[in-house]
Amino acid sequence: MRTLILTSILGLLAFMTLTGCNRCSGNSPIQMGATGIAYEVVVVADDAVWNDPAGQQVKAELQRPVQGLPQDEPSMRITHVLPADFNGMMKYVRNILIVNVDASVYTKVSLNAEKDRWAKGQVVVQLNAPDKAALSDYLTAHPRGLTSYYSKIEMMRMAAVLRKTFSTLVYEKVQEQFGVTLNVPEDFNSYKDTVNFFWASNNANKGRMDVVVYIFPYTNPNTFTKEYLIAMRDSTLGANIPGAFPDSHMATDTSTVQYSAITLQGKYCGVLRGLWYVKGDKMGGPFVSYARLDEVNNRIVVVEGFVYSPDTDKRNYMRRMEAALQTVRLPGDKDQPLDYPEIVIQPSNEQS
């Protein structure tokens, strides 16, 4: 993993050599862009901390399994760097976590994040503690806090890319049919639309990704519950996504589904994630579904991504799909600029 980071850094160094100084002659420097790999974190910590159980707890926190997948896949890749080696081009990596343990400086655990500290598009998190026991207690009390934060950052970055490069076919069809907009990857070139339902896919032999959009009237105050949204999912997708055999169709593995809530465009968004399968067949995989209230038209708009990729890792495919879902804009939405989320010290209920 260290090799991957260093390869990116060497490439950036070569670029700098060819292009010269990346700063203007005035007082305002031109920041170079952050380097590194998506969902990779450089952790800066002394060996005395990193090799301690508290340090390994930091590692375990960042490598928590991504939720909603059929097999365990770690949330982050990690590269450990000693403070003495953290200099030069290492400071331009996109995700950095600096762990400081020093009783002479800190009296309690604190956590703060800074954007664009050494490079544009970068986030640097500092986790400070007076001793290893306090660090361990903090991580135990705040599970998924760091993982969720870095995941939000990377999701934001992916969504920003999709705002610029996306399937115009899907964008135009969804806008025409529902009056909403959605940016999905460019390779989504196959679609099917019926009344109140739209389905598009990249039709890939490996790493197939699909997206569906459907609507239904908002008549029940209990709409934003796991049970209600699963029932609507099974009813809608069961009727519109048939399997290869007679009477086979898509269904939800209800035992795997988790429900959470996020804020999207400043509004409540209900999120389902779990596993789907085809009843009467052997197909299946992970899905994530966003449900929002369209206040202008008094209806629920659901956008969902699901993946079919047997015998391969599915984490990155699902992350692309969820980033696409976060670009959905309903009537009345005012497009808000993408910005880094605030880092919080409370236990996180967000999915990563």
Side-chain angles (χ1 to χ4, degrees):
M1 294 181 184
R2 185 188 296 267
T3 302
L4 294 174
I5 283 286
L6 292 178
T7 300
S8 298
I9 292 171
L10 289 173
L12 183 57
L13 182 59
F15 173 80
M16 291 177 62
T17 302
L18 291 172
T19 58
C21 181
N22 194 32
R23 295 180 179 271
C24 62
S25 58
N27 294 325
S28 301
I30 301 174
Q31 282 186 310
M32 65 181 65
T35 185
I37 301 170
Y39 292 93
E40 182 162 27
V41 180
V42 168
V43 180
V44 184
D46 288 322
D47 274 343
V49 174
W50 187 247
N51 295 328
D52 185 83
Q56 292 305 292
Q57 201 171 347
V58 173
K59 179 179 179 180
E61 160 65 27
L62 293 172
Q63 291 189 321
R64 283 180 179 272
V66 176
Q67 295 180 317
L69 299 182
Q71 70 280 327
D72 285 353
E73 297 182 48
S75 293
M76 305 288 162
R77 298 182 181 185
I78 300 173
T79 297
H80 171 232
V81 178
L82 294 173
D85 297 329
F86 183 63
N87 50 45
M89 301 308 298
M90 289 298 295
K91 292 187 175 182
Y92 292 96
V93 176
R94 62 199 284 154
N95 301 317
I96 297 172
L97 173 63
I98 301 174
V99 183
N100 299 309
V101 178
D102 191 337
S104 67
V105 178
Y106 310 108
T107 59
K108 62 180 181 179
V109 176
S110 64
L111 187 68
N112 59 77
E114 182 180 353
K115 64 179 181 180
D116 303 338
R117 182 170 182 178
W118 293 297
K120 188 174 178 61
Q122 176 190 65
V123 62
V124 179
V125 176
Q126 288 201 176
L127 177 56
N128 308 315
D131 51 56
K132 298 167 189 173
L135 175 60
S136 178
D137 290 344
Y138 176 87
L139 293 169
T140 300
H142 304 89
R144 288 198 173 274
L146 286 171
T147 302
S148 178
Y149 180 73
Y150 282 115
S151 294
K152 287 179 182 178
I153 294 292
E154 289 292 6
M155 201 68 67
M156 178 200 73
R157 290 168 175 152
M158 284 188 181
V161 171
L162 285 170
R163 286 188 177 190
K164 298 177 181 178
T165 306
F166 54 89
S167 168
T168 55
L169 170 69
V170 172
Y171 185 95
E172 292 170 358
K173 291 292 182 181
V174 171
Q175 186 175 45
E176 177 183 356
Q177 184 168 353
F178 301 105
V180 306
T181 62
L182 182 68
N183 300 51
V184 303
E186 281 185 299
D187 57 349
F188 278 61
N189 50 26
S190 176
Y191 76 95
K192 168 189 174 182
D193 56 352
T194 58
V195 177
N196 296 335
F197 184 82
F198 178 84
W199 174 18
S201 175
N202 66 349
N203 272 338
N205 292 326
K206 179 181 179 181
R208 171 167 171 156
M209 297 181 290
D210 293 66
V211 65
V212 296
V213 182
Y214 59 93
I215 60 173
F216 56 89
Y218 177 60
T219 59
N220 191 325
N222 295 319
T223 291
F224 290 98
T225 62
K226 180 171 75 171
E227 293 74 18
Y228 193 98
L229 290 175
I230 289 176
M232 291 304 301
R233 180 185 192 275
D234 279 343
S235 173
T236 304
L237 272 62
N240 288 280
I241 301 184
F245 301 102
D247 299 322
S248 62
H249 57 82
M250 179 174 279
T252 307
D253 182 350
T254 57
S255 67
T256 68
V257 177
Q258 298 174 339
Y259 179 82
S260 62
I262 63 172
T263 299
L264 195 61
Q265 286 296 105
K267 301 294 181 64
Y268 184 94
C269 177
V271 181
L272 291 180
R273 69 181 72 239
L275 303 180
W276 61 272
Y277 69 98
V278 174
K279 187 175 182 180
D281 203 345
K282 295 182 179 180
M283 295 180 66
F287 77 90
V288 59
S289 174
Y290 281 23
R292 288 188 57 198
L293 172 61
D294 176 2
E295 297 174 350
V296 174
N297 296 294
N298 196 42
R299 62 183 182 176
I300 300 297
V301 177
V302 178
V303 290
E304 175 179 320
F306 59 91
V307 167
Y308 179 65
S309 186
D311 303 320
T312 64
D313 289 346
K314 301 164 184 63
R315 175 188 60 188
N316 291 339
Y317 298 126
M318 284 302 298
R319 284 169 166 169
R320 288 184 71 194
M321 290 311 310
E322 186 158 6
L325 302 190
Q326 294 201 357
T327 68
V328 67
R329 299 293 179 263
L330 307 188
D333 279 353
K334 294 182 179 179
D335 206 23
Q336 299 177 351
L338 293 170
D339 199 3
Y340 295 95
E342 295 294 326
I343 192 164
V344 295
I345 62 171
Q346 292 79 19
S348 173
N349 293 319
E350 299 290 345
Q351 309 298 328
S352 58

